[in-house]
Each structure stands twice: as structure tokens, then as C-alpha cells.
Amino acid sequence: MNQKLVLLFAATSILLAGCSSSGRYSLNDDVAPKQPISVDHLEDAVPQYEPYSLGGNSDYTLRGNRYIIVKDAKGFTEKGKASWYGKKFHGHLTSNGEIYDMYSMTAAHKTLPIPSYVKVTNTDNNKTTVVRVNDRGPFHEGRIIDLSYAAAQKLDVLKTGTANVKIEVITVKRPESAHKQSAFPNYVVQVATSQHHDRSMALSNELATKLSVESFLETSDSMHRVFLGPFTDYALTQKALEQVKVLGYTSAFIKKHATAQ
């Protein structure tokens, strides 16, 4: 494994910790802000189509537990305990590399794809809100979602610390118009790199046939890189990645591709 991949793996491992505790935070215990905020002006997160993030969407192991990311979240519902996280994590990176803002309507979930939009109902008082999942957690037994401070305040969870909730994923279809589609990134799976053009071309053709996907080569500095794609759907990209890993190409990975081939 080269140095860049080692550093990437290390950074990803840190981000996957999400709202779990670690020594990188200035506070040992999580707390609410000193000045409570009014939530009257806060609106629910507005569901919209977003391509899945490159960061935070791979299956992972944390504290000895294996977590498998949901591949198709349409119709997903879950019941359990909600908790919240606040000042300790404010300003730090979420699992997909965004900055956590405790005053925004966001949340963390262990396995939903990032980002996802979720309707949360506090079944103890029937209050509801919509949040955008952009982080991983909570890693405590029985808890299914970690709400931002603002979302917890809207649902009246701050007083009790936890609450019984039901969560429902809100799915938004990808826009069909060509000009809107062109604004979204393309993804590719980089399978292998070789100095041998003939072997790389043969592998590209073989994988395209076996997996029924497009493939292509890119050459720079006398190195030939085999790619699958491009894909406009991250879920399909993830499926192709899993397939090539089963075929033995365990170092394959997903990356964004600037233009369609």
C-alpha cells in the first residue's frame, strides 16, 4: 500500500468515529452551549437529491463491531432511542468531511448512506422534524440516531437526554433533466495500475464483459490505470466496487471523475 493510501485510510478511520469520543476533542464531556437558542426560526432540513459522499459510505469496523452501510434506503424505517451531541463536537469534521454545526438540522446514524434525509418523530410527545444525516453514530447500545443540538431542542430531547423515536427515510429522485444531471459528479472504480498496456486492456475488456459495465484505460507517466464506469449513481458504483473485490482486486477504490468518457 503506498503512502497516500495509508494516509487516506488513517484519515477515514478517524472520520468514521463520527460522534464517538476520542482524544481529538478539547472537551472530555459533551455539553449544551452556554446560551440556549430559540428554535422558533429554525426550519426542518429540506429534502433534496444529493449524490452520496465519497467519505463515510464504506462498510466499517469500530470497537469490534462491523457496520454494513444500507445500499438502498428507500422505505427505511427504524425505532429506538435518540440521543444528541453538541458543543464538544461543534466545529469538528463529520464522517463525510463536512463541519459539524450543532445549530443546524443534522444527525448521525450508524449505517444510513450519507447524506440521507430522515423524518424523526419523538414518540414520547409526537413532535416531528426532518434532519440531514451527515455523520456516523451513536455507538451506544439501543440508540439509533444522534441528533444535533438544534434538532434535539426542536424535539424536546435536551431535558431527558434521550427519547423514544421513529425514523423514516425521505427519498428524493435524481432530477431527470439533462442540465441538472450534468451538475452532479461522475464516479469511477479504479481497479488496477500496470506498466503493461496489453494486460491492462485485456483486464478492462474482461471486467466489462463479466460485470456488464463500461470500462476504460487512462495512461500517464507510462502507467496504465483500469477504470470501471463512469457511473452517475453512487449506489451502482459501490456495487461495482464490491464485485471487483470479490474477483480478487481488493485494492480497488471509488473516486470522482471530472468528465464522462
Side-chain angles (χ1 to χ4, degrees), residues 123-241:
T123 57
D124 296 330
N125 58 21
N126 291 321
K127 292 185 176 181
T128 66
T129 193
V130 177
V131 296
R132 178 177 178 268
V133 174
N134 68 343
D135 208 356
R136 292 289 172 225
F139 299 105
H140 296 276
E141 187 68 28
R143 300 183 188 179
I144 63 170
I145 194 167
D146 238 355
L147 302 168
S148 67
Y149 168 81
Q153 179 120 320
K154 286 200 73 172
L155 292 177
D156 204 19
V157 178
L158 296 179
K159 298 176 184 177
T160 54
T162 61
N164 296 302
V165 297
K166 177 182 179 181
I167 65 174
E168 305 166 80
V169 169
I170 301 172
T171 304
V172 179
K173 291 183 179 180
R174 183 185 179 93
E176 296 181 356
S177 59
H179 77 281
K180 288 186 177 181
Q181 287 192 15
S182 64
F184 296 118
N186 292 305
Y187 301 101
V188 293
V189 176
Q190 182 168 326
V191 180
T193 302
S194 172
Q195 294 179 332
H196 306 283
H197 181 271
D198 291 346
R199 295 179 188 176
S200 298
M201 183 59 72
L203 174 60
S204 177
N205 292 335
E206 178 186 355
L207 292 175
T209 301
K210 281 186 177 180
L211 305 180
S212 299
V213 298
E214 296 294 325
S215 66
F216 63 95
L217 292 185
E218 280 189 354
T219 300
S220 63
D221 299 326
S222 299
M223 299 300 293
H224 309 284
R225 294 172 178 82
V226 179
F227 292 96
L228 300 181
F231 303 92
T232 57
D233 187 307
Y234 188 89
L236 293 178
T237 318
Q238 185 70 34
K239 179 180 178 181
L241 176 64

Side-chain angles (χ1 to χ4, degrees), residues 12 15-19 55-57 93-98 114 134-137:
T12 302
L15 290 179
L16 281 176
C19 50
N57 276 313
L93 294 178
T94 64
S95 294
N96 68 338
E98 296 178 357
I114 294 176
N134 68 343
D135 208 356
R136 292 289 172 225

Side-chain angles (χ1 to χ4, degrees), residues 94-112:
T94 64
S95 294
N96 68 338
E98 296 178 357
I99 302 297
Y100 173 61
D101 178 2
M102 62 180 171
Y103 300 112
S104 63
M105 300 299 290
T106 60
H109 190 276
K110 290 185 282 290
T111 57
L112 281 176

